[in-house]
Amino acid sequence: MVQGSANKNNITLNIRQSEAVKATEGRVRVVAGAGSGKTRVLAHRYAFLVNELGISPGNILCLTFTNKAAQEMKSRIARMVDRGSVNDFICTIHSFCVKFLRREIYRIGYPKNFTVLDEEDAKSLAKQAMEEFGVDRRKLTAERFLTKVSALKGYNIDAYIQRHLLPASSPECPDELVRYIRLQLKHYALDYDDLIYFTIYILNHFEDARRYWTDKLNYIMVDEVQDCSSDDWKLLNILASGHGNLFVVGDPDQAIYEWRGANPKIFVDFKAATDVILNENYRSTPDILEIANSIISNNRNRVPKELYTMRLNERRPAYRHAASEREEAEFIADTIEKGLKNGESARDFAILYRSSFLSRGLEQVLLKRKINYSVWGGVRFFERKEIKDVTSYLRLIASDNDDMAFSRIINLPARKFGNASLANLRTMAEQHKVSLMTMLRSAVDTPKFNRPQFREFISLIDTLRTLSTQIPVSELTDKLLVDSRLADLYRMDEREDRLENIAELINSMKEYELSHDEDDDRLLDAYLQEIALYTNVDAANDKDKVRLMTIHQSKGLEFPTVFITGLTEGVFPNHRSIRERRKDGEEEERRLMYVAVTRARKMLYLSESEGYMNDNGALRYPSRFISEIPEVLLTIEGKPDPALFEGTRNMVNMLNSELGEGDESPMSPGTAVEHKIFGTGVIVSFDPAARSYRVRFQNTERDLVPRVLRKI
């Protein structure tokens, strides 16, 4: 161990951390493994620049991925610098762009008090643009519309700004996408993409602005750089173009946001004058790190490193195979209860899963055991919007007297039954001392409520009520989803987990049906009473709770004991992700597993269960990730039949065959190809690890999978 130079608080740095801190000049890449102290390195390097080299804080730009991380960084640095205040250039990349544009945006005719659109504002503008062009909102959601807008803007930044935003641009609005952009211009409003695009545009087109900022920001440091998009990288390279002092820190093995635009390949291929690998882990036990290393070593698009630790093992990580989802949840609850009896705190335990629908079975068991828990960054299963929508329909089918259920669903999907209609109906119901549904039945013959869609709603409820005494609740719900058009509504939703949650709800119904008398003709009532126990639970005020969260939400956190549940092939790794992005998708799923494993400090549990998939009824098999772990590293409980792992291999082979992996020789550079959106282009290179081509089109270059290209 050596003493770091930036060490006002007498904190010891290891040799490689100290090397990174003192690498102040040129392009520096720090590959920082999980738990290796990268935040410490960034803070110490900032302090070293200020305290030892005499650099003014105003000449240092330190970019973080989140506002929370920026605040943490400011707090650490404030305790270490000898002079000057911690400035505003310790921030996120979007925050920096706002600061930049306040000074420079006048150059393209915008006022410095421009508006930054949040998600809701952007949706409102999108809906306005769609309405003005008569876009059917039943066929295109605002979220998908905004995705199209984003693609239009990102295709060619210069063209987007020059054609649509500058004073000399054409006032014509040929389609709804351009109309949206024009509405933005009218309000001088910028969305998050625009903050990056406008900054890049001004730096590229105004030499004096570029010179001012490259002269001012002599040292640029970037955290979590594997999560940067290609446009983020463009901006970073422009800002560092004058002095070349670009210090980037990240871990390609923790790149889990490619699906939303991150490009970790740039970090992997980054040409640095100095390379430092931080691979000493201060968080986890050796066995946990060995599991993480054994999994991630199967990826090819990475910077090789092996995490190690000087800590000692406490308990061997465990793998539990269960006969059912219920048994898997019971095992987790049993383990937590034993830990609580041994003096551990509920907050010491975290349960991680790939998809949010997997929380349902866990929540039910934890509630029955009276184990305090919280859904981190999310909503309890039975409180989720789509679940409450469906259960509200079921409640009204069970009884006309449920006014809360009626109020929630009467305009879902839209039936032109707005707030005014509901208020009128409520007044009439109060006068007649009847429920809202009963009142509607009577009022549907009056001029105010005599509309076909209201009659259809009454007929729907009556038909399903009759069926509720004839078929199981799960079948009733399937029919409800189709006949009410709720399924179409959720299918249009940008959030793919809505349908997954509905599938899990129906699965819970099937579990309930199996445990109750088939001849119970009021099974619907009984089921609704059962789930009411899960929706009306008193929330404990204390913070000592087991944390439930998706793996994406767990990034940056750590816990003494971690459960990774639902390790089923198709669920984790997610086959939809692999189908959409092939090897890139598979490798990102594996990186997600790596992130999950490295959240654990002392103990790690891996679990999966037998049964059937919710979406297609196929048999469930253990995740391929379990097979990638040497058995010697695990305590195995409920060891599965070897035939199940054979099923896993068959699923993987079938998926690879479906995707045509390895069937085609790569096209050579210079080959002319055609893309249905980008037009004709030329192959620049082939990436064998990702099985993707770099293609040069007229105005851009893109990394594309073979199936979207046609050789010409």
Side-chain angles (χ1 to χ4, degrees):
M1 304 288 279
V2 300
Q3 194 77 9
S5 299
N7 209 343
K8 184 181 176 183
N9 291 339
N10 198 32
I11 296 174
T12 302
L13 303 175
N14 67 37
I15 293 173
R16 290 183 176 177
Q17 289 173 336
S18 184
E19 180 187 351
V21 166
K22 295 176 182 179
T24 62
E25 307 305 306
R27 291 162 65 90
V28 182
R29 180 177 70 171
V30 179
V31 181
S36 63
K38 66 178 178 62
T39 305
R40 175 187 293 182
V41 166
L42 281 160
H44 276 74
R45 186 178 189 267
Y46 190 107
F48 183 80
L49 290 170
V50 174
N51 296 340
E52 302 296 326
L53 301 190
I55 306 299
S56 168
N59 297 129
I60 305 171
L61 175 63
C62 182
L63 297 175
T64 63
F65 196 61
T66 64
N67 288 312
K68 182 180 178 182
Q71 290 303 315
E72 169 67 16
M73 189 68 68
K74 284 182 181 180
S75 176
R76 290 197 185 202
I77 291 170
R79 296 192 294 267
M80 300 171 67
V81 292
D82 287 332
R83 63 178 179 85
S85 60
V86 177
N87 62 49
D88 287 339
F89 291 137
I90 304 172
C91 57
T92 67
I93 194 165
H94 289 103
S95 295
F96 167 75
C97 289
V98 169
K99 300 178 203 314
F100 173 93
L101 292 171
R102 282 180 185 148
R103 187 183 191 275
E104 306 291 352
I105 202 169
Y106 74 91
R107 297 172 183 273
I108 56 175
Y110 275 63
K112 68 177 183 179
N113 61 338
F114 59 89
T115 300
V116 179
L117 292 176
D118 61 22
E119 289 184 10
E120 288 306 312
D121 292 334
K123 285 181 184 178
S124 295
L125 278 188
K127 291 172 183 176
Q128 185 178 339
M130 293 164 71
E131 286 170 5
E132 291 183 10
F133 271 81
V135 177
D136 189 346
R137 297 241 331 260
R138 293 172 297 179
K139 296 181 179 179
L140 183 65
T141 64
E143 289 85 356
R144 291 187 179 180
F145 178 87
L146 289 171
T147 300
K148 288 188 171 187
V149 171
S150 182
L152 171 66
K153 292 178 177 181
Y155 179 69
N156 187 316
I157 296 173
D158 280 9
Y160 153 57
I161 292 175
Q162 291 168 1
R163 290 175 187 172
H164 306 308
L165 298 177
L166 296 186
S169 60
S170 171
E172 297 177 4
C173 300
D175 59 31
E176 67 273 14
L177 301 181
V178 177
R179 177 56 182 160
Y180 171 87
I181 294 170
R182 285 293 179 179
L183 288 171
Q184 277 193 264
L185 178 59
K186 178 182 178 183
H187 299 287
Y188 295 115
L190 279 64
D191 59 26
Y192 283 1
D193 287 341
D194 291 329
L195 295 175
I196 303 289
Y197 297 158
F198 277 44
T199 302
I200 292 173
Y201 182 87
I202 291 171
L203 287 169
N204 278 336
H205 289 267
F206 297 90
E207 180 59 32
D208 59 330
R210 182 179 182 131
R211 188 167 53 251
Y212 171 84
W213 286 96
T214 56
D215 288 348
K216 178 178 178 60
L217 302 174
N218 304 142
Y219 295 90
I220 298 170
M221 304 193 300
V222 191
D223 190 16
E224 300 285 11
V225 75
Q226 78 278 349
D227 295 326
C228 286
S229 68
S230 298
D231 291 319
D232 295 338
W233 277 104
K234 286 179 187 175
L235 176 56
L236 296 175
N237 283 314
I238 294 171
L239 292 172
S241 60
H243 46 72
N245 295 328
L246 180 58
F247 181 92
V248 295
V249 183
D251 184 4
D253 291 338
Q254 297 187 73
I256 58 175
Y257 295 115
E258 276 193 89
W259 55 275
R260 69 182 191 191
N263 191 346
K265 293 177 186 174
I266 299 176
F267 183 48
V268 172
D269 298 333
F270 186 81
K271 303 302 182 189
T274 304
D275 253 326
V276 182
I277 294 180
L278 305 180
N279 58 349
E280 182 175 356
N281 177 284
Y282 294 92
R283 177 186 299 158
S284 307
T285 64
D287 281 352
I288 292 172
L289 294 183
E290 281 297 311
I291 288 172
N293 288 332
S294 66
I295 292 170
I296 202 63
S297 64
N298 291 278
N299 275 5
R300 290 178 285 182
N301 184 36
R302 60 188 298 261
V303 179
K305 66 179 185 306
E306 291 285 318
L307 293 179
Y308 74 94
T309 183
M310 303 303 290
R311 293 184 59 190
L312 299 176
N313 282 315
E314 297 186 25
R315 288 179 288 166
R316 181 175 291 177
Y319 162 47
R320 171 69 182 225
H321 171 77
S324 67
E325 285 183 83
R326 183 75 178 195
E327 184 181 293
E328 184 181 4
E330 296 283 1
F331 158 72
I332 293 171
D334 286 341
T335 305
I336 293 172
E337 283 187 336
K338 289 176 184 175
L340 296 175
K341 288 178 182 177
N342 290 330
E344 295 178 80
S345 299
R347 63 177 176 269
D348 291 338
F349 299 93
I351 306 173
L352 310 184
Y353 34 77
R354 174 62 176 85
S355 300
S356 60
F357 75 85
L358 293 168
S359 77
R360 192 273 309 171
L362 293 163
E363 288 187 58
Q364 287 185 306
V365 171
L366 293 173
L367 284 166
K368 282 193 172 181
R369 300 285 193 93
K370 295 185 168 62
I371 298 173
N372 289 337
Y373 75 92
S374 63
V375 179
W376 189 271
V379 181
R380 292 182 179 224
F381 183 83
F382 285 102
E383 297 296 327
R384 292 169 191 167
K385 178 188 180 306
E386 58 277 12
I387 303 301
K388 288 186 72 71
D389 292 344
V390 173
T391 55
S392 292
Y393 261 103
L394 293 175
R395 284 162 51 189
L396 194 63
I397 291 166
S399 171
D400 273 5
N401 296 322
D402 198 324
D403 283 356
M404 287 187 293
F406 178 94
S407 300
R408 183 179 184 93
I409 65 170
I410 182 59
N411 207 40
L412 187 77
R415 299 185 178 89
K416 296 184 178 180
F417 199 107
N419 291 333
S421 296
L422 185 58
N424 287 333
L425 187 68
R426 185 171 283 115
T427 299
M428 294 167 63
E430 288 173 355
Q431 290 172 349
H432 290 81
K433 295 183 171 53
V434 296
S435 69
L436 294 174
M437 186 68 187
T438 302
M439 192 69 248
L440 181 63
R441 293 181 186 278
S442 301
V444 76
D445 292 321
T446 65
K448 189 175 290 186
F449 292 95
N450 189 6
R451 298 180 189 175
Q453 56 266 44
F454 300 168
R455 294 182 181 277
E456 288 173 6
F457 176 75
I458 294 171
S459 177
L460 171 70
I461 297 300
D462 288 346
T463 300
L464 293 174
R465 183 171 292 166
T466 300
L467 285 173
S468 70
T469 62
Q470 303 169 8
I471 59 177
V473 182
S474 57
E475 293 181 24
L476 179 72
T477 304
D478 276 330
K479 186 165 179 59
L480 159 66
L481 289 164
V482 174
D483 292 358
S484 67
R485 301 189 304 281
L486 279 179
D488 293 336
L489 184 69
Y490 299 137
R491 203 171 286 114
M492 285 292 299
D493 198 304
E494 196 70 13
R495 288 184 53 185
E496 294 175 340
D497 62 349
R498 295 214 188 277
L499 287 175
E500 289 180 336
N501 288 337
I502 293 294
E504 181 60 24
L505 176 68
I506 293 173
N507 185 54
S508 79
M509 294 170 175
K510 291 176 179 177
E511 287 181 1
Y512 184 83
E513 290 157 5
L514 288 171
S515 63
H516 288 73
D517 189 352
E518 292 181 359
D519 297 328
D520 186 350
D521 63 358
R522 301 305 299 167
L523 198 60
L524 174 60
D525 288 342
Y527 176 75
L528 291 171
Q529 290 163 0
E530 175 84 6
I531 65 170
L533 300 173
Y534 303 118
T535 58
N536 292 294
V537 178
D538 294 330
N541 292 323
D542 62 277
K543 295 182 179 180
D544 188 18
K545 299 178 180 179
V546 176
R547 265 75 64 88
L548 277 66
M549 66 187 75
T550 65
I551 299 168
H552 283 96
Q553 292 164 336
S554 76
K555 191 169 183 288
L557 305 175
E558 58 183 70
F559 310 91
T561 299
V562 168
F563 299 88
I564 305 174
T565 187
L567 279 164
T568 299
E569 186 67 29
V571 177
F572 193 21
N574 186 286
H575 280 191
R576 182 175 62 240
S577 175
I578 296 175
R579 284 191 174 96
E580 290 175 352
R581 300 178 48 241
R582 300 199 173 203
K583 277 299 179 185
D584 282 351
E586 180 187 348
E587 293 214 352
E588 181 160 327
E589 290 292 305
R590 189 172 283 110
R591 292 194 295 267
L592 196 58
M593 180 67 178
Y594 175 84
V595 167
V597 170
T598 54
R599 298 313 93 194
R601 294 206 302 263
K602 297 180 179 180
M603 185 59 190
L604 173 69
Y605 293 94
L606 311 175
S607 68
E608 50 80 29
S609 58
E610 296 180 39
Y612 298 91
M613 305 286 278
N614 291 340
D615 56 349
N616 58 15
L619 283 170
R620 298 159 60 119
Y621 297 105
S623 168
R624 70 184 74 180
F625 299 151
I626 296 171
S627 302
E628 294 173 357
I629 303 169
E631 283 194 16
V632 69
L633 296 175
L634 295 168
T635 298
I636 300 176
E637 303 178 31
K639 191 170 183 177
D641 189 323
L644 289 174
F645 284 104
E646 182 63 30
T648 302
R649 287 189 287 273
N650 290 337
M651 282 189 74
V652 173
N653 290 336
M654 287 175 61
L655 182 61
N656 289 341
S657 176
E658 175 191 332
L659 299 175
E661 297 294 337
D663 292 345
E664 195 177 356
S665 299
M667 292 180 282
S668 58
T671 303
V673 293
E674 186 176 44
H675 186 276
K676 64 180 181 181
I677 301 296
F678 303 134
T680 58
V682 176
I683 299 291
V684 176
S685 61
F686 177 70
D687 184 344
R691 289 192 60 78
S692 67
Y693 291 99
R694 185 72 176 177
V695 185
R696 182 183 297 116
F697 298 97
Q698 185 176 358
N699 296 313
T700 187
E701 289 189 4
R702 289 285 190 272
D703 293 314
L704 300 167
V705 296
R707 61 185 170 82
V708 301
L709 299 172
R710 184 175 69 85
K711 187 176 179 179
I712 57 175

